[in-house]
């Protein structure tokens, strides 16, 4: 996308928000914020009765209109300047963005930006001045905000000085009370298993590394005195540019990864053997079996742990480190995951409603200033994480 398009003013928002999908990531915190800030909210589910039941379960009965979701019905009710929020699986985003573009509406989701979505965002920015907000959940989402914040702080502390950088970002949705399997499934396990079969690319020891089987790079990680396990996930390298890492930082380490409870690697040996065999049918069969054996029950509490850190050091001995740690346990009224996914995207929707985001593709917050605004809001709701900073100067240099 050209810089002109990226900065283009968006079409005015109408004040109507269509929240599409009422699954486990639709939390009370996020949906209630949208109900407070939008002129009109329409909640779409397979049936209107399911949507109404979900509203009631979230303590939001009567706060939004409810509709049965069909492509024709959604198309008929979507108007210019409306905001479509897709809480559906990632495969459904492209058709919804296409509908938004046709109607001159805006679009938001919490998923990674696929090449198809990026291309659609470029086209709709020119044609309909549509805002396309992606990667606005937990991971991706809050992790991006933390990364932008740390990079901005480090650049301010060091100025344009060459330095060696170590960047790590790890996130996990965990059971608050780990059982022998060290994990519980609150939704279909197939996606988790399929992700294990996707190679992970990152930087370690100043070199680009691709791990065909990500779990083979599992390593212990201590956070706030507690032991976890972490492994690289997906392709970390595109995020070097997305986070604004300057060219004069030499990357020793740059990795975005998944966090698991200690003991996870040993407990999942059966899973790794099946994924390694490469039989999709066997993986699906195992996914069904795991869902039955290790479900998240109604009395189970989930936990979200997100750690993002950046360390810089120079040849002269200067050293700076900043980090954010978010550790949240769900309650009976709202899971930690639902809160951490729905509240950021809901805040993003309020930014669209306010006309604060430009037309075209916006990943969570694309600039340090906007990221700071998001973090301030999330911090007021307990989701910015605990910030820590340490700095060390060479011996004999006054602080």
């Amino acid at each position: 996308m050209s810089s002109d398009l990226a900065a283009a003013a968006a079409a005015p928002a109408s004040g109507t928000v269509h929240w599409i999908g009422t699954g486990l990531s639709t939390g009370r915190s996020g949906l209630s914020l949208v109900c407070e800030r939008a002129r009109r909210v329409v909640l779409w589910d397979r049936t209107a009765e399911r949507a109404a039941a979900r509203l009631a379960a979230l303590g939001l009965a009567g706060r939004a209109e409810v509709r049965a979701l069909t492509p024709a019905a959604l198309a008929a009710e979507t108007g210019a300047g409306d905001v479509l929020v897709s809480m559906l699986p990632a495969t459904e985003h492209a058709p919804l963005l296409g509908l938004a573009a046709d109607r001159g509406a805006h679009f938001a989701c919490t998923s990674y930006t696929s090449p198809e979505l990026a291309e659609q965002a470029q086209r709709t920015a020119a044609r309909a001045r549509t805002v396309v907000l992606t990667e606005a959940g937990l991971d991706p989402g809050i992790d991006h905000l933390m990364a932008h914040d740390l990079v901005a702080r480090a650049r301010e502390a060091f100025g344009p000085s060459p330095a060696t950088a170590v960047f790590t970002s790890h996130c996990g949705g965990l059971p608050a009370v780990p059982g022998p399997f060290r994990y519980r499934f609150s939704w279909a396990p197939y996606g988790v298993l399929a992700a294990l079969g996707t190679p992970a690319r990152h930087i370690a020891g100043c070199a680009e590394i691709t791990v065909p089987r990500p779990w083979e790079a599992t390593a212990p990680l201590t956070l706030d005195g507690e032991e976890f396990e972490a492994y690289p996930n997906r392709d970390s390298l595109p995020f070097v540019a997305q986070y604004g890492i300057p060219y004069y930082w030499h990357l020793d380490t740059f990795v975005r990864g998944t966090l698991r409870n200690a003991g996870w690697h040993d407990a999942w040996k059966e899973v790794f053997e099946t994924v390694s065999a490469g039989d999709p049918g066997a993986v699906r069969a195992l996914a069904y079996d795991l869902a039955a054996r290790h479900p998240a029950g109604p009395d189970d509490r989930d936990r979200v742990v997100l750690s993002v850190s950046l360390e810089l050091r120079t040849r002269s001995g200067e050293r700076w480190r900043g980090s954010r740690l978010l550790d949240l346990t769900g309650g009976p009224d709202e899971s930690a995951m639902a809160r951490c996914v729905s509240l950021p995207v809901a805040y993003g929707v309020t930014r669209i409603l306010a006309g604060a985001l430009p037309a075209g593709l916006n990943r969570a917050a694309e600039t340090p200033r906007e990221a700071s605004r998001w973090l301030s809001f999330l911090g007021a709701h307990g989701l910015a994480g605990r910030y820590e900073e340490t700095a060390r100067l060479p011996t004999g240099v006054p602080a």
Side-chain angles (χ1 to χ4, degrees):
M1 183 183 303
S2 72
S3 58
D4 290 341
L5 285 180
S14 68
T16 294
V17 176
H18 301 273
W19 189 283
I20 305 164
T22 63
L24 296 175
S25 292
T26 293
R28 186 184 192 282
S29 296
L31 191 54
S32 63
L33 175 66
V34 172
C35 290
E36 290 169 9
R37 302 286 184 89
R39 179 180 59 82
R40 174 177 175 248
V41 179
V42 184
L43 183 64
W44 296 80
D45 202 344
R46 286 199 297 270
T47 67
E49 291 75 18
R50 280 175 56 93
R54 182 61 171 159
L55 272 180
L58 294 174
L60 299 173
R63 298 284 299 279
E65 301 173 30
V66 295
R67 297 287 189 277
L69 178 61
T70 67
L74 181 60
E77 291 214 31
T78 300
D82 290 0
V83 183
L84 302 186
V85 183
S86 177
M87 302 301 286
L88 301 178
T91 53
E92 303 299 323
H93 295 336
L96 288 176
L97 177 52
L99 170 61
D102 290 342
R103 293 292 188 271
H106 307 293
F107 174 85
C109 72
T110 62
S111 301
Y112 281 101
T113 308
S114 68
E116 185 178 11
L117 282 185
E119 182 180 348
Q120 282 183 288
Q122 182 175 355
R123 293 198 305 268
T124 59
R127 179 162 60 93
R129 292 191 295 149
T130 293
V131 176
V132 179
L133 175 63
T134 63
E135 301 182 15
L138 167 64
D139 172 11
I142 299 178
D143 57 340
H144 291 350
L145 304 176
M146 292 180 174
H148 280 295
D149 175 67
L150 293 179
V151 170
R153 290 174 184 268
R155 296 184 71 163
E156 181 178 358
F158 266 57
S161 302
T164 299
V166 174
F167 175 88
T168 62
S169 177
H170 293 101
C171 184
L174 314 168
V177 180
F181 192 60
R182 321 306 286 168
Y183 195 84
R184 289 191 180 277
F185 297 98
S186 54
W187 45 61
Y190 181 75
V192 177
L193 305 192
L196 287 172
T198 303
R201 191 165 68 125
H202 62 291
I203 296 174
C206 303
E208 293 185 11
I209 295 175
T210 298
V211 184
R213 298 169 176 173
W215 69 84
E216 294 180 349
T218 300
L221 179 64
T222 302
L223 297 174
D224 201 25
E226 184 176 355
E227 296 299 321
F228 294 93
E229 294 177 354
Y231 61 91
N233 185 26
R234 296 176 176 262
D235 185 356
S236 297
L237 268 60
F239 296 92
V240 173
Q242 185 171 323
Y243 293 163
I245 302 294
Y247 71 90
Y248 44 83
W249 289 0
H250 178 67
L251 289 174
D252 174 275
T253 302
F254 189 95
V255 60
R256 300 177 73 255
T258 298
L259 195 70
R260 293 289 181 248
N261 285 305
W264 168 83
H265 188 271
D266 288 342
W268 277 49
K269 287 182 178 179
E270 174 193 9
V271 175
F272 303 148
E273 291 172 357
T274 301
V275 173
S276 296
D279 181 349
V283 173
R284 288 192 178 278
L286 178 60
Y288 284 117
D289 182 48
L290 292 176
R293 283 195 283 155
H294 306 286
D299 296 327
D300 291 320
R301 298 288 173 258
D302 73 324
R303 180 186 182 191
V304 164
V305 180
L306 169 61
S307 169
V308 183
S309 71
L310 173 63
E311 181 176 343
L312 297 184
R313 57 182 184 272
T314 68
R315 291 183 178 179
S316 63
E318 293 176 291
R319 186 179 295 247
W320 179 94
R321 184 179 187 275
S323 65
R324 283 188 181 270
L325 176 63
L326 172 62
D327 189 345
L328 182 71
T329 298
D333 298 328
E334 184 176 38
S335 71
M337 185 62 69
R339 184 177 175 191
C340 290
V341 172
S342 68
L343 192 56
V345 73
Y347 181 69
V349 169
T350 71
R351 299 295 285 157
I352 297 174
L353 293 173
L357 299 185
L361 182 62
N362 297 260
R363 295 177 176 92
E366 296 276 35
T367 66
R369 182 175 182 179
E370 185 69 9
S372 177
R373 186 187 295 270
W374 286 51
L375 282 173
S376 294
F377 172 83
L378 294 175
H381 294 78
L383 296 186
R386 186 179 74 241
Y387 176 71
E388 292 185 353
E389 179 179 320
T390 58
R392 189 183 75 195
L393 299 175
T395 302
V397 177

